[in-house]
Amino acid sequence: MTTDSPSSTDFVRRMIVEDNESGRFDGRVHTRFPPEPNGYLHIGHAKAINLNYGIARDFGGKFNLRFDDTNPTKEEEEYVQSIIEDAHWLGVDWEDRLLFASDYFDQLYDWAVQLIEQGQAYVDDLSADEIREYRGTLTEPGKESPYRNRTIEENLDLFERMKNGEFPDGSRVLRAKVDMASGNINLRDPVLYRILHATHHRTGDKWCIYPMYDWAHGQSDSIEGITHSICTLEFEDHRPLYDWFVEKLGIYAPQQIEFARLKLTYTLMSKRKLLKLVDEGHVNGWDDPRMPTLSGYRRKGYTPEAIRDFTERIGVAKNDSTVDFALLEHCVRQDLNQHSPRVMAVLDPLKVVITNYPEGQTEELFAINNPEDESAGTRKVPFSRELYIEREDFMEDPPRKFYRLVPGREVRLRYAYFVTCVDVVKDDDGNVVELHCTYDPATRGGDSPDGRKVKATLHWVSAKHAVDGEVRLYDQLFSSPFPEDVAEGKTFLDNLNPDSLTVLTGCKMEPSLAGVEAGQRFQFERIGYFCVDPDSASGKPIFNRTATLRDTWAKIQQRK
RNA sequence: UCGGGGAUCGUCUAAUGGCAGGACCGGGGACUUUGAAUCCUCUAAUCGUGGUUCGAAUCCACGUCCCCGAGCCA
């Protein structure tokens, strides 16, 4: 069980074990997930959430949900709500520790004053452009601001007046006094506070100066007693700055550990780009089933269990990596195969008349709801003289390995009878519009008493009992496995897959699907997994395709 | 000619001086009232060059390549 579970031996857990053995945090383990409420959670966040929560769970520790809401110009309450909902859906529990960096604004302000008093922070009057110029470049050191050596008294006065709203946006900032020549640009006197006359989603208009993320993040972890502050690689060279802050402030120091963020083929994780997809209408909102957001996957029919399984299988490391989308899909199929009830639905109906079946007769046939789960029971499906089968299950002139219905061939209708195609009805253009078949009454239920074998079993729906439904077929949103790799002059939008959504109406479904509710998941036998969309109306179900079944026949066809 | 990270099957990830293993993908087969599931099986890797060592993916040296960093974003 632990042998093939990389999560049990990942480097993060190993470091925590070491800390526990050395008694560094008195054996405590306390993690957190710190999202900025400026977008919806995506599958990459799920990796971070499950990592942090999983560690807290495994080590008997605690887990906080904390919003890093330090920039009121980009953050919204809608995002806070969606993040809480999605995190809950994933199955993580922060007990009563729903926290906000904005809860610490007063403390952060006091600490800024402390830094000023210690001569380690100053108010800078340089413009944003000037600050950038003074910062130097990656290869050249920066130079010190002319305001760097103001007196403590002047800094204290100016900073308080910044807080009091005496200065316009952008006119001054508070900076830490670290080292303008550092090879680490984060240490070249980073900005701590900027003036922003903006309304904050929680603190309203109380503040007109807001802490920068770098100033708020480490101290927020410190306040919360976080032991292991797990974040992504790009914050690796911010760690020295966070350590500098807690040291100068003389406060509790968490250990930051960085891991590689998730990348997935055929998908984007950039919140900026996802926002663009939503804003420009390339998708129908953050919860569009083509989005890599948790709400999108949820609407598509993915389960939190499948996502958790996925986040465990991909492991945790520092290598830049791009996980094959096929692995996510594998996890989804595995879970759904285990748990979703089977039903029959015909997506592209072709009428079949059983010519030797009595007109007006209906019989109820037993069907197994889930062969993987006996407790799911059985149900009855109505059979009658006129049926629908899948159009692609018939070929008049079949290739070598096609062993479904063809003229003169016998196949099985699942749970029903063996039928043989005896006639093909066409319209004036030569399109097949109807099939005439005969059935063998002795094969009721799908078994032939004489041991006769058929190569294929087809799903079907009784025409007069069928429920009409809509089916939304989703494919990858991007046609390229690496949508962000674009040629000169192109953007990721050029990689959008024009066929990412196909809407099928007039699909014929077995009558048990008449009263389904949004969120219910099914396997349409021989086709795939589907989830009832919230757009469904009573008697008019709409299904989103979660994933296709693995399809050996499709592979054989593609090869040629 | 800056600072910080990283290179193991096609992909993700183990092995932390002692048989390079697992999963996904792909190939083949068995079974089959889902061309599903399940089962069996095959393909396939230590960035390079030296060195240390009985023994190196692992330690050392020198290279090469990749990622991140110059927001008053997070």
Side-chain angles (χ1 to χ4, degrees):
Chain A
M1 175 135 186
T2 50
T3 49
D4 62 341
S5 170
S7 60
S8 65
T9 55
D10 65 71
F11 80 100
V12 178
R13 279 167 224 258
R14 241 175 345 235
M15 289 174 74
I16 293 173
V17 167
E18 278 174 30
D19 286 339
N20 283 349
E21 285 170 352
S22 71
R24 179 173 174 195
F25 296 106
D26 303 318
R28 268 190 330 117
V29 173
H30 198 151
T31 60
R32 100 272 93 118
F33 175 65
E36 182 190 16
N38 68 341
Y40 279 57
L41 256 27
H42 55 60
I43 186 89
H45 295 116
K47 176 182 181 182
I49 292 170
N50 287 157
L51 210 216
N52 278 288
Y53 181 69
I55 283 172
R57 194 211 322 105
D58 295 350
F59 287 91
K62 291 180 177 172
F63 168 83
N64 294 1
L65 178 63
R66 182 185 71 240
F67 287 91
D68 273 342
D69 54 349
T70 55
N71 185 353
T73 64
K74 290 188 176 172
E75 296 152 8
E76 293 174 24
E77 188 60 23
E78 178 200 349
Y79 297 129
V80 172
Q81 292 312 319
S82 75
I83 288 168
I84 289 173
E85 183 185 353
D86 291 344
H88 264 142
W89 178 72
L90 262 189
V92 308
D93 181 10
W94 49 88
E95 301 176 89
D96 60 348
R97 293 180 303 281
L98 173 61
L99 304 166
F100 295 82
S102 52
D103 293 341
Y104 314 136
F105 281 178
D106 286 296
Q107 174 66 264
L108 257 10
Y109 179 84
D110 290 345
W111 276 333
V113 170
Q114 179 185 338
L115 232 44
I116 294 171
E117 287 170 342
Q118 291 171 188
Q120 288 156 333
Y122 62 98
V123 172
D124 196 345
D125 298 357
L126 253 26
S127 70
D129 285 343
E130 289 166 328
I131 285 181
R132 191 184 323 115
E133 286 168 28
Y134 275 70
R135 188 154 32 222
T137 69
L138 294 177
T139 52
E140 296 159 332
K143 58 186 183 200
E144 297 182 353
S145 165
Y147 302 97
R148 197 176 198 257
N149 293 309
R150 291 218 247 231
T151 64
I152 289 172
E153 290 66 32
E154 189 181 7
N155 281 318
L156 251 15
D157 172 63
L158 252 16
F159 186 48
E160 182 169 6
R161 290 165 62 193
M162 279 171 63
K163 183 193 72 169
N164 291 343
E166 293 184 26
F167 310 121
D169 287 3
S171 59
R172 284 178 233 260
V173 292
L174 183 74
R175 292 228 257 169
K177 195 187 284 188
V178 190
D179 177 8
M180 288 307 292
S182 174
N184 182 345
I185 289 181
N186 297 118
L187 264 21
R188 318 239 265 232
D189 289 10
V191 172
L192 268 28
Y193 276 93
R194 73 281 220 194
I195 301 171
L196 241 37
H197 290 267
T199 302
H200 187 277
H201 74 113
R202 299 201 94 222
T203 61
D205 295 321
K206 176 179 177 184
W207 298 90
C208 61
I209 57 171
Y210 289 92
M212 296 290 291
Y213 171 87
D214 276 350
W215 174 244
H217 188 79
Q219 287 94 295
S220 297
D221 284 338
S222 178
I223 290 168
E224 295 178 14
I226 300 302
T227 54
H228 302 273
S229 175
I230 300 165
C231 64
T232 44
L233 255 25
E234 68 270 28
F235 294 105
E236 207 148 20
D237 49 17
H238 293 236
R239 177 156 34 93
L241 178 60
Y242 302 160
D243 291 345
W244 188 89
F245 287 148
V246 296
E247 188 208 322
K248 298 306 174 202
L249 260 16
I251 59 178
Y252 164 79
Q255 174 65 54
Q256 175 169 297
I257 305 172
E258 309 85 9
F259 70 97
R261 58 166 4 118
L262 172 67
K263 286 201 275 183
L264 244 196
T265 56
Y266 296 100
T267 105
L268 280 178
M269 278 335 157
S270 150
K271 276 204 252 182
R272 202 196 96 245
K273 288 174 182 169
L274 294 177
L275 214 209
K276 191 178 173 76
L277 290 171
V278 172
D279 282 349
E280 295 183 359
H282 302 290
V283 295
N284 303 312
W286 284 97
D287 70 342
D288 187 298
R290 292 167 293 183
M291 290 285 276
T293 51
L294 296 184
S295 55
Y297 285 127
R298 177 166 64 234
R299 188 167 182 178
K300 195 177 174 186
Y302 283 38
T303 62
E305 291 78 12
I307 290 175
R308 193 176 318 134
D309 182 32
F310 172 73
T311 58
E312 285 169 9
R313 284 185 193 234
I314 57 177
V316 184
K318 300 191 75 156
N319 312 340
D320 291 312
S321 61
T322 303
V323 177
D324 192 338
F325 187 85
L327 179 60
L328 211 209
E329 205 156 55
H330 168 81
C331 294
V332 170
R333 287 195 182 109
Q334 183 166 279
D335 183 37
L336 262 17
N337 174 52
Q338 225 48 233
H339 300 112
S340 43
R342 273 60 170 169
V343 292
M344 292 197 284
V346 175
L347 269 34
D348 184 11
L350 173 61
K351 178 80 101 32
V352 171
V353 179
I354 311 295
T355 55
N356 60 338
Y357 193 88
E359 285 201 49
Q361 179 173 316
T362 295
E363 58 187 316
E364 304 257 273
L365 299 165
F366 275 98
I368 294 166
N369 286 334
N370 186 349
E372 307 287 332
D373 177 11
E374 203 176 325
S375 72
T378 60
R379 69 187 187 286
K380 291 174 173 179
V381 291
F383 183 90
S384 64
R385 191 168 191 268
E386 295 193 358
L387 314 167
Y388 292 106
I389 65 165
E390 208 68 61
R391 182 166 289 274
E392 64 169 27
D393 282 341
F394 172 79
M395 283 186 97
E396 197 173 17
D397 186 19
R400 196 88 216 117
K401 287 187 175 169
F402 184 86
Y403 51 80
R404 278 111 96 144
L405 196 59
V406 304
R409 182 187 290 172
E410 186 174 51
V411 298
R412 173 170 37 236
L413 295 181
R414 180 114 160 123
Y415 300 124
Y417 295 98
F418 283 14
V419 297
T420 303
C421 176
V422 295
D423 201 11
V424 180
V425 182
K426 295 180 183 174
D427 64 13
D428 294 341
D429 298 326
N431 302 309
V432 176
V433 293
E434 187 174 303
L435 261 26
H436 290 175
C437 294
T438 57
Y439 83 119
D440 176 358
T443 57
R444 189 174 198 273
D447 265 322
S448 68
D450 61 5
R452 204 158 83 237
K453 298 289 184 196
V454 288
K455 274 291 251 184
T457 301
L458 310 185
H459 62 279
W460 53 274
V461 171
S462 167
K464 72 178 167 199
H465 302 93
V467 173
D468 278 326
E470 175 178 323
V471 171
R472 299 175 180 171
L473 265 23
Y474 297 100
D475 198 351
Q476 299 293 2
L477 218 210
F478 296 98
S479 43
S480 162
F482 308 102
E484 287 169 288
D485 286 359
V486 291
E488 194 66 27
K490 301 272 190 181
T491 76
F492 72 98
L493 294 172
D494 293 299
N495 284 325
L496 247 9
N497 174 9
D499 302 315
S500 60
L501 171 60
T502 305
V503 177
L504 264 25
T505 54
C507 303
K508 302 294 184 180
M509 305 177 172
E510 64 168 73
S512 71
L513 292 176
V516 293
E517 288 174 14
Q520 273 187 280
R521 303 181 183 94
F522 298 92
Q523 184 199 94
F524 290 178
E525 293 218 34
R526 304 209 304 130
I527 300 176
Y529 298 98
F530 293 81
C531 182
V532 181
D533 191 87
D535 289 348
S536 299
S538 163
K540 195 195 170 279
I542 298 173
F543 290 87
N544 296 319
R545 184 171 68 194
T546 311
T548 61
L549 249 30
R550 287 187 67 228
D551 191 345
T552 308
W553 170 237
K555 248 176 242 169
I556 291 169
Q557 283 176 303
Q558 271 172 19
R559 237 176 269 161
K560 305 182 303 180

